[in-house]
Each structure stands twice: as structure tokens, then as C-alpha cells.
Amino acid sequence: MSGDGSDERARGRASADYLVAAAVVGGVVLLGSLLVASGADPFVSAAGDGQETQSERDPLNTTAAERAIAAAVNDERRARGLSPVEYEPGLATVARNHSADMIARDYYAHVSPEGNAAFERVQSSSVSCSSVGENIAATWWQTPFESTDGERGRHTTREELADGLLEQWLTSPDHRENMLSTEWERTGVGVAVTEDGEVLVTQNFCD
């Protein structure tokens, strides 16, 4: 998120490792988790170099990143003896729109300012689901970061980005449960990037 307040917003997300949201929408249980991923807080090194400018970063191919994240999740499911979830372009569109909306309107939540949650967003699309799951996360692209546990890193490839998100989701019981549920048959991932390299990710699951 651009502007002088961008770091403050990122640090706000970093103030708690994750929040968990659950709601019942039309009799359907909607499970979701909010995660601050490993790239929650850009740091300035001793040499004085901090966040890179947009012109200094290679642009992230968001479509390829979305597929890489979905593939990483399916690899983990297979490794645990679970069936992979089919990639649903319609769900990806819903997820992508939510990530972009969070950036455009400067919020970070499952529920939009109008009160629409993932189930409503999917209902208003062409995708048919009786239940919906959602994970969201924030990280950074080609920008040095410091995680909430003090580790420093930098995602320079979409595979690193995907692996970093997967690792964080696996360490959160609620994200892991959502991601590895046997209820889901389809998934879609949506990625949006701010001018200062912050990446917001939404992954939707559907039965």
C-alpha cells in the first residue's frame, strides 16, 4: 500500500501472528483464517538500504504466482495422502478481486466494508458452492522483510513466495486445517501487489 502509512499498516498486520474468523452464512459454516505471512515487516539494514522502489523490483507475474501457490498446496496435500484440489478459474477470479479490493480500500479482513464474506462473494459469481473456505495472507515481493519471530528474508522468485506462504500456513493450526480439509474439491488463488511490494493473497476453497 503506497504512501507514508504503508509500513504502519504492514506492522499492524504483524502485531499478531494470525486471527481466526468463523461465521455461519445461510446455515453454512464458513471457515477462514487471517495470516500475517513471513514478509510482514520490511526492515532497514545497517547499511541503510530498506524497501526497494517499484522501478528497482522485477514485476511479479501474479497469474503465475497464483498457480505456484495452488501447486504448493496440492503438493503438500499429496504428500499427506490427500487428493489434490482442482484449480477453478472462477474461484481464482473471486479471490483475486478480494485481494485487489483489500489494497484499493485499505483493509485486511475476510469481510468487506459492506459486510460481504467469502461465501457471498462466491455466491455472486458464476461458481456454485455449498460451502466455502478462505485463507488470506500478507507478505512481500523482492523486498527485505523481518518476520514476527525475528527472521529475515527476501522472496525473489514466485516459488520462494509460494513456499514461504505454505510454510506459514502449515505452522498455523487453523490455516493448516483449512488447507488440508478433505471437504474441498476446488480452489482458486488471487494475488495483488502494492506499489511498495506488499503482496496480499487470498485462497478460496469450495466443495
Side-chain angles (χ1 to χ4, degrees), residues 1 66 92-107 190-194 200-202:
M1 294 158 188
E66 291 163 358
T93 298
V94 173
R96 191 178 306 120
N97 288 344
H98 184 55
S99 294
D101 188 55
M102 287 191 290
I103 288 177
R105 297 199 285 171
D106 191 22
Y107 71 97
V191 171
V193 188
T194 69
L200 295 190
V201 181
T202 303

Side-chain angles (χ1 to χ4, degrees), residues 17 26 59 70 90 132 146:
D17 287 341
V132 173
E146 182 172 307

Side-chain angles (χ1 to χ4, degrees), residues 37-39 60-62 64-66 68-69 72 137-143 145 154-169 189 191-193 197-201:
S38 57
L60 175 64
N61 183 328
T62 54
E66 291 163 358
I69 294 165
T139 188
W140 295 88
W141 170 246
Q142 293 193 348
T143 299
F145 61 75
R154 187 169 181 260
H155 299 314
T156 58
T157 69
R158 56 180 177 266
E159 288 78 18
E160 289 176 353
L161 184 75
D163 289 345
L165 289 167
L166 179 67
E167 181 180 356
Q168 291 295 319
W169 283 335
V189 179
V191 171
V193 188
E198 189 177 10
V199 181
L200 295 190
V201 181

Side-chain angles (χ1 to χ4, degrees), residues 3-92:
D4 293 340
S6 60
D7 288 355
E8 294 179 6
R9 285 188 287 271
R11 281 191 287 271
R13 284 191 282 274
S15 62
D17 287 341
Y18 63 90
L19 302 172
V20 180
V24 178
V25 182
V28 177
V29 177
L30 171 65
L31 299 175
S33 304
L34 283 72
L35 175 71
V36 177
S38 57
D41 196 4
F43 69 87
V44 178
S45 73
D49 55 328
Q51 288 179 270
E52 297 179 7
T53 64
Q54 186 176 17
S55 61
E56 292 171 332
R57 287 190 306 273
D58 294 328
L60 175 64
N61 183 328
T62 54
T63 302
E66 291 163 358
R67 290 284 187 164
I69 294 165
V73 168
N74 270 336
D75 286 346
E76 185 64 28
R77 289 177 65 92
R78 291 189 188 94
R80 293 169 180 258
L82 301 172
S83 299
V85 284
E86 180 183 355
Y87 199 79
E88 169 67 67
L91 275 179

Side-chain angles (χ1 to χ4, degrees), residues 162-206:
D163 289 345
L165 289 167
L166 179 67
E167 181 180 356
Q168 291 295 319
W169 283 335
L170 287 173
T171 59
S172 162
D174 299 285
H175 289 84
R176 184 173 63 248
E177 181 180 358
N178 217 14
M179 183 174 62
L180 300 177
S181 173
T182 57
E183 178 181 4
W184 311 130
E185 297 178 356
R186 292 169 287 163
T187 191
V189 179
V191 171
V193 188
T194 69
E195 291 182 358
D196 49 5
E198 189 177 10
V199 181
L200 295 190
V201 181
T202 303
Q203 181 166 23
N204 287 136
F205 298 93
C206 178

